[in-house]
Amino acid sequence: VFSVANAVADRRTIDLTISRQGSYTSRIIDEIQQGGTVWGKGPYGEFTVGAEDDCNRAVLLAGGTGITPFCAFMDGAIQRGALPMEEVVLYYGARTADLLIFRELAERCAATLTGFRVRLFVEQAAAPQSTTLNVGRLELAAIMNELGDTSRTTFYVSGPRPMIEAFRQRLTSEYAVDAERVHIDAWE
């Protein structure tokens, strides 16, 4: 399973993000050549960011390569020059700064679109490498404190399965977020 990482409405190119996780993905990375022919099927799934009734804010929680399903949303919003809701906040974390593979897209989205904010986190760093980079893991308690009132907020969670499960459980039980407003990218 791979994630489409760009808006494809008016393009002839589909950007895929593939992580080397075994022999199949290794073959893709090692053997596919530019200009070659590939066969694809899909897309599948329903993990898309969009406007929802009575919600004016979307919070995107991305751990590592979990950023990928949000890339098509960000790319499309930049192309349209607008967000489908008043505010979008992206919390994007990885082990190291070099693993924030779509940092540039996230920062471009924040610079281009009114209402889009990005908070970047790295687990392993000696000191913050910029004013936009925070040292530490994505911590749900700190995120919820920063967000304040979440009564009109929809959450989208993508990343490692333990992160997804922990965030979903805590959002619904500890923070009383309606389960229908917590969307997860369950691709495993």
Side-chain angles (χ1 to χ4, degrees):
V1 177
F2 313 113
S3 293
V4 175
N6 68 315
V8 294
D10 298 324
R11 295 186 183 182
R12 298 178 60 100
T13 300
I14 297 175
D15 295 339
L16 298 177
T17 299
I18 302 170
S19 176
R20 187 183 300 264
Q21 295 294 321
S23 62
Y24 182 71
T25 52
S26 291
R27 282 191 59 217
I28 290 171
I29 293 167
D30 295 339
E31 296 177 17
I32 292 180
Q33 300 295 317
Q34 184 172 351
T37 301
V38 297
W39 179 84
K41 183 176 157 183
Y44 298 100
E46 299 177 8
F47 189 73
T48 56
V49 178
E52 292 190 24
D53 294 338
D54 81 342
C55 290
N56 64 348
R57 174 172 58 184
V59 173
L60 315 179
L61 302 166
T65 57
I67 188 66
T68 310
F70 300 133
C71 292
F73 167 76
M74 290 187 288
D75 187 44
I78 289 171
Q79 288 181 37
R80 286 187 308 279
L83 296 169
M85 66 280 297
E86 291 175 32
E87 181 183 13
V88 175
V89 185
L90 169 64
Y91 293 90
Y92 175 22
R95 283 189 200 100
T96 60
D98 62 315
L99 294 176
L100 292 170
I101 58 176
F102 288 104
R103 176 182 181 174
E104 181 182 307
L105 174 61
E107 289 177 334
R108 187 169 72 244
C109 205
T112 304
L113 299 169
T114 302
F116 189 95
R117 293 186 294 129
V118 63
R119 302 267 288 140
L120 302 169
F121 294 82
V122 292
E123 292 178 26
Q124 301 167 8
Q129 300 168 352
S130 74
T131 57
T132 61
L133 195 59
N134 301 283
V135 176
R137 300 179 95 185
L138 292 175
E139 293 290 341
L140 191 57
I143 290 168
M144 295 302 283
N145 187 53
E146 183 177 294
L147 291 171
D149 179 18
T150 60
S151 61
R152 297 185 63 212
T153 302
T154 302
F155 293 86
Y156 298 85
V157 187
S158 180
R161 178 157 300 284
M163 181 196 114
I164 291 172
E165 293 303 325
F167 279 27
R168 175 173 49 182
Q169 191 277 329
R170 289 186 61 207
L171 283 166
T172 57
S173 64
E174 189 175 331
Y175 296 101
V177 175
D178 186 318
E180 291 192 16
R181 291 192 296 117
V182 178
H183 306 277
I184 64 165
D185 184 24
W187 53 270
E188 289 183 349

